[in-house]
Amino acid sequence: MKATLMALSDQWGRSPWWIQIGAVWAISRIWVWVFTVAIFPFQRACPYTNPVQPGILGFITNWDSAWYQKIYDGGYPVVLPTDAVGAVEQNPWAFLPVYPGLVKVFSIIPGVTWQIAAPLVALVASLGFALVAYQLFRLKVDHATALVAVAFVVFAPAAPVLQYGYAESLALLLVAVLLYLLATERYAWGIPVVLVADLTRPIAAPLALTCLIVAGVVVYRRIRKHQEISAGKLVALGSLCLASVIGVGLWPMIAAAVTGVPDAYFQTEGAWQVAGSQLQHNVFLFSMMVAYGPTGGLVMAALLFVLLGAFMTLEPVRRLGVVMWAWVGAWLGYQLLMNGMGRADLRLTMTAFPLALVAATMIRRRWARLIVVAVFALMQIGWIWFSWRCGGPGAPHADP
């Protein structure tokens, strides 16, 4: 038995990196599917699915996926829907077009529906993400540490969403590709990637900030430390920064052009709030001021940003390198500014996936790494039960 295990271990160690990544990814996806099937019978009637009592495919294309399906079926409304008092109602403009558009490509295959194609696209994108993330991590660490970091991500508590009908896995793939292109100084290739990513998930602002931080560091090193960088690369990096900044306003401009309403996107986002505008109710600072008063809110918000700043100065985080460090800080800062602490934290925090590399570099013992993966895998069961299953107290309520 011991000889067999040693032989298997040796064979595993000699297998190509992509087979090892694929195996870890496959195990994580099978684990999620087993407990998805196990939990599905306990699904309650859900207003976000059609029919209200869905089958297993309806179960994994629930919540936001229902809005993506509306886009898949009929596109975006030219006229914004309004209620009796003229306020804009919830509508598809809050959700970005790349994911449902990509799924739509599969509609040419007879018998393929949204409920079949949407999870498949997410599943394939999650494999692509795992492969690219590994290559990104390998720029900083050895094979074993990069492999563990990928395992931490694909077994993360909210990672079941990577094979459900959500845009998360596609967005993660595009972010990983962009970070890899930035880290390897292939700036021109990043221009189409950042624009497509901006139309996949609401990540345009932190992506733009990441590009600007990287550009600032490159310019600083060229001027102050006399590091060589060609004029062509500088032009490409500048063009990438310009494209990323344009991308921040790209979807709001498209929504305004199609509907004729200048703030169509922001009014639509505001429809997900209890009352008032997106700015007043979704910006974290305003919510803190409402909860703790003007002074207390400012103090609480400032304290949290100071804690984030302190976290970003920790040595294990700084060892990520400029590109991944900038992305983690930009994404966490953006989430703190716009959302604060909310019910989708685990899912949204997963977008800061280089933090898995921080954890992998800090946890060196094999048994400790296995414990982390095991705990994460068990937490996935809880996430499916409490945050995905209709009737769960932490269910996402179709947040854009």
Side-chain angles (χ1 to χ4, degrees), residues 52 123 172 182 228 315 320:
V52 174
L123 184 66
L172 284 172
L182 281 169
E228 290 295 327
E315 178 64 21
L320 286 172

Side-chain angles (χ1 to χ4, degrees), residues 113-144:
T113 64
W114 169 263
Q115 292 184 339
I116 295 173
L120 283 177
V121 169
L123 184 66
V124 172
S126 71
L127 174 58
F129 161 69
L131 295 170
V132 176
Y134 169 84
Q135 288 295 316
L136 176 65
F137 295 160
R138 282 288 282 124
L139 297 175
K140 291 295 177 182
V141 297
D142 58 46
H143 164 74

Side-chain angles (χ1 to χ4, degrees), residues 245-315:
V245 172
I246 292 173
V248 174
L250 183 58
W251 187 240
M253 288 189 293
I254 292 173
V258 173
T259 63
V261 180
D263 60 343
Y265 173 72
F266 299 103
Q267 286 197 52
T268 298
E269 286 282 355
W272 264 262
Q273 313 308 317
V274 176
S277 71
Q278 171 77 357
L279 180 65
Q280 292 172 328
H281 288 270
N282 211 39
V283 172
F284 178 56
L285 176 58
F286 284 97
S287 67
M288 294 297 286
M289 292 174 70
V290 169
Y292 299 102
T295 303
L298 286 171
V299 171
M300 289 293 294
L303 177 60
L304 289 174
F305 275 102
V306 168
L307 291 174
L308 174 61
F311 172 76
M312 295 304 298
T313 63
L314 296 175
E315 178 64 21

Side-chain angles (χ1 to χ4, degrees), residues 47-67:
Y48 294 101
T49 58
N50 185 20
V52 174
Q53 291 281 14
I56 185 65
L57 292 179
F59 181 65
I60 62 175
T61 53
N62 198 359
W63 305 112
D64 287 5
S65 188
W67 285 104

